[in-house]
Amino acid sequence: MAETRRGTRGATKRRTKRGTGRETKREIERKYEATPDTPVPDLTRVPGVAGVLDRGVMELDAVHYDTPGLRLAADGLTLRRRTGGDEAGWHLKFPVAPGVRDEIRAPLADALPGELAELLRSRLRRDRAVPVVRLRSARAVRHLVAADGTLLAELSVDTVRARRLPDGPRTAWTEIEVELADGADPALLDAVAARLREAGIHPSTAPSKLARALAETGTPPAPAPAPGPPGTAGAAVLSYLRAGTDALVTYDPAVRRDLPDAVHQLRVACRRLRSALRTHRRLFDRNVTDPLAAELRWLAGELAAARDEEVLDARLRAHTAALPRTLVHGPVRARLRRRSRTRSAEARRRALAALDSPRHLALLDGLAALLADPPLRGAARRDAGKALARAVRADHARLAARIDHALALAPGHERDLALHEARKAAKRLRYAAEAARPALGKPAGRLAERVKAVQSLLGEHQDAVVARAALRGLAADARAAGEPSFTWGLLYGREEAAAATAERELPGAWARAAAAGTGAALER
């Protein structure tokens, strides 16, 4: 009977998401080509490895699932139902970097668990995950340990038999896999790789078992279709739209997993897509693109509360922490924590409700349809450089008008509103310049960088405006509770100073961006 492995990968760090049955761990591994007769060299010659322990052989049986069009595999995701060993269950793997994946696990069940289905919602949409490949592996396991017995890495020699489902071609191969243990130095993988290379063992050309099985048993995931004739405005903008749509799909599960900065990145993806559709509306049938732009605005709005609360909470906490203790009067930090918990929870519920809505699915379907069959007009066939430069100059003129209007107003509420509108125009210009960079080169890149500086100042100004409103509310709550309001007033004054500083620096930053956005500067 094959030995059941204990205390191996289960020893790596796992995080259970509250309210679900899923566990997450970071998987850092490398794969190598091998044959059934490939000898594993003596790895005690690797610095830090004091021993190599034989942990026996286990039989693993995994059925991999995907959409009929292999949408998950195309994005580098793996979804499998595995039996055998001590890690039976459903496993969903998200790529993080080459050789690094986040593996999310759910208990073994006949059907795809709901907690994993929600993480796949942006990719599955209205499709069902169906079995596509069955992998059966005999895994011979060795543990690489330090002198004190600490696990450093696990090396396995896997003899794999793969079959395309339901009853398609078969293939087989042997590979070596080395996975880093939790807390171990990643440099160990480099040292092991060097030792294997000395023995004539080289890295696998396939990023995963699934990718290899798909390639060897039939048609692998189809590449994305070409966006259009090279060098045309339509091709350039469609390429940008595809990248934005990919980001939208990618950050949907990241928000659900509550990963750092995920809400911000998802909101940015919405804004980039919407800006591109508006800036380049001449290229498309607006009967198709205008409704998509409206839905992108809706989704960004639903995410706004969560993102704005993240920014405000981090800002107020940082500014409070920077105060000398003698200037912090009353339970300031405790009040900030209570406010953050209440507002953040409600904002997150709103964001997740939007992502779970049929409206969001319809938006993703609409973007996919746009990319699959672009509703291009005749203007899309024009030279990319000329057409995109024209669009950038139009957005540049819009920003110039808004900044001139804002700076002409007296300081106060109306000027604050006008500067916020200028910030929106700055984002649109920056995104337009970034989209044009492949066609226009360094001039567009320089403009994007300088407009980003303008956007940052306008963002700092707006953050200070929002913070002042929040501080007024906090001060009122503190007074009502009989607490000192001194610290809230002090923080309010500092936000006023921050806004004033941003306003003073804005004309200089805008002058530099304006120079980069002239017609001559954007000539090819």
Side-chain angles (χ1 to χ4, degrees):
M1 177 179 290
E3 178 181 343
T4 300
R5 183 179 41 163
R6 304 297 303 171
T8 60
R9 296 187 187 181
T12 59
K13 185 178 294 183
R14 296 181 182 180
R15 179 171 62 88
T16 301
K17 185 69 175 176
R18 187 175 300 173
T20 74
R22 67 176 186 250
E23 297 176 329
T24 302
K25 81 180 191 74
R26 178 62 53 86
E27 180 182 82
I28 304 175
E29 65 182 18
R30 298 186 187 177
K31 297 179 182 293
Y32 300 87
E33 300 285 352
T35 68
D37 300 324
T38 299
V40 177
D42 179 8
L43 296 177
T44 59
R45 293 175 54 187
V46 173
V49 177
V52 177
L53 309 180
D54 188 344
R55 294 304 189 192
V57 178
M58 63 172 59
E59 298 292 334
L60 305 175
D61 191 344
V63 175
H64 289 253
Y65 288 72
D66 208 326
T67 66
L70 303 178
R71 196 177 297 150
L72 303 184
D75 287 351
L77 274 68
T78 297
L79 173 64
R80 71 188 180 198
R81 181 184 183 275
R82 191 166 82 179
T83 56
D86 58 359
E87 295 176 356
W90 285 87
H91 302 163
L92 172 59
K93 298 187 181 185
F94 286 96
V96 177
V100 182
R101 295 187 290 183
D102 277 349
E103 182 179 277
I104 303 170
R105 299 172 178 173
L108 190 64
D110 290 337
L112 175 64
E115 58 266 32
L116 298 188
E118 71 177 18
L119 297 179
L120 292 169
R121 187 174 174 85
S122 64
R123 289 180 168 90
L124 294 180
R125 299 198 292 277
R126 304 179 198 282
D127 285 336
R128 290 179 60 250
V130 297
V132 293
V133 166
R134 183 180 184 184
L135 296 176
R136 287 183 285 182
S137 304
R139 169 166 287 176
V141 180
R142 297 173 174 85
H143 281 179
L144 280 57
V145 298
D148 63 356
T150 300
L151 178 65
L152 301 175
E154 176 180 292
L155 182 145
S156 63
V157 180
D158 294 345
T159 302
V160 185
R161 292 164 291 156
R163 187 185 74 183
R164 195 68 168 256
L165 298 176
D167 191 22
R170 302 168 186 259
T171 188
W173 70 88
T174 301
E175 68 180 33
I176 295 174
E177 182 176 291
V178 183
E179 182 175 345
L180 195 70
D182 180 49
D185 186 350
L188 176 71
L189 293 181
D190 293 330
V192 171
R195 182 74 184 99
L196 294 177
R197 186 167 57 249
E198 291 174 359
I201 300 172
H202 301 288
S204 174
T205 57
S208 67
K209 289 182 176 66
L210 174 62
R212 182 165 183 169
L214 290 173
E216 294 185 5
T217 62
T219 306
T232 63
V237 175
L238 284 170
S239 179
Y240 188 78
L241 291 175
R242 183 174 298 282
T245 301
D246 288 346
L248 202 67
V249 169
T250 297
Y251 285 108
D252 175 302
V255 170
R256 297 175 189 275
R257 294 172 60 197
D258 203 15
L259 296 184
D261 207 38
V263 172
H264 172 57
Q265 293 299 334
L266 184 57
R267 195 177 176 203
V268 167
C270 292
R271 286 174 165 171
R272 288 181 189 274
L273 285 165
R274 179 169 176 257
S275 291
L277 292 175
R278 295 174 67 200
T279 294
H280 303 289
R281 57 187 178 274
R282 298 172 182 268
L283 308 182
F284 300 96
D285 179 353
R286 293 183 60 179
N287 291 321
V288 175
T289 56
D290 282 0
L292 290 175
E295 291 302 278
L296 288 163
R297 181 180 184 181
W298 160 77
L299 181 55
E302 294 301 295
L303 298 169
R307 174 55 184 167
D308 292 348
E309 188 56 39
E310 285 178 354
V311 172
L312 179 60
D313 181 57
R315 185 181 184 93
L316 294 181
R317 285 176 183 263
H319 288 186
T320 302
L323 292 175
R325 294 182 63 182
T326 55
L327 298 182
V328 180
H329 295 187
V332 172
R333 293 181 176 85
R335 184 167 288 282
L336 282 176
R337 286 194 296 270
R338 288 197 299 273
R339 180 191 182 280
S340 176
R341 280 197 300 268
T342 300
R343 292 177 177 255
S344 295
E346 178 55 36
R348 177 164 174 78
R349 282 193 292 270
R350 179 178 174 182
L352 292 178
L355 296 184
D356 285 335
S357 69
R359 194 170 177 179
H360 178 47
L361 283 185
L363 170 60
L364 294 174
D365 284 340
L367 290 169
L370 171 76
L371 295 171
D373 186 17
L376 297 174
R377 299 178 62 196
R381 294 192 292 269
R382 294 174 182 167
D383 175 77
K386 293 180 180 179
L388 269 59
R390 175 182 176 181
V392 168
R393 286 195 292 270
D395 282 347
H396 186 277
R398 178 181 296 102
L399 174 58
R402 291 192 183 182
I403 287 183
D404 289 346
H405 170 67
L407 294 180
L409 297 172
H413 180 64
E414 292 302 320
R415 190 182 205 189
D416 291 343
L417 291 177
L419 287 171
H420 184 44
E421 291 302 309
R423 180 192 183 195
K424 296 178 183 177
K427 289 180 179 179
R428 180 167 168 177
L429 174 56
R430 176 188 165 194
Y431 298 153
E434 290 174 348
R437 186 168 187 172
L440 300 179
K442 290 183 179 179
R446 183 165 52 249
L447 175 60
E449 290 173 3
R450 293 185 181 180
V451 173
K452 182 179 180 180
V454 172
Q455 177 190 326
S456 295
L457 283 174
L458 292 169
E460 171 65 14
H461 182 274
Q462 177 64 13
D463 289 347
V465 170
V466 172
R468 291 205 306 267
L471 288 166
R472 285 195 297 269
L474 286 162
D477 292 342
R479 284 194 302 271
E483 301 165 5
S485 58
F486 168 80
T487 302
W488 304 115
L490 178 61
L491 291 171
Y492 187 96
R494 293 194 173 193
E495 293 294 355
E496 281 190 320
T501 298
E503 289 188 37
R504 285 196 304 272
E505 294 178 359
L506 178 60
W510 169 237
R512 291 187 289 274
T518 62
L522 289 176
E523 289 295 330
R524 298 175 66 190

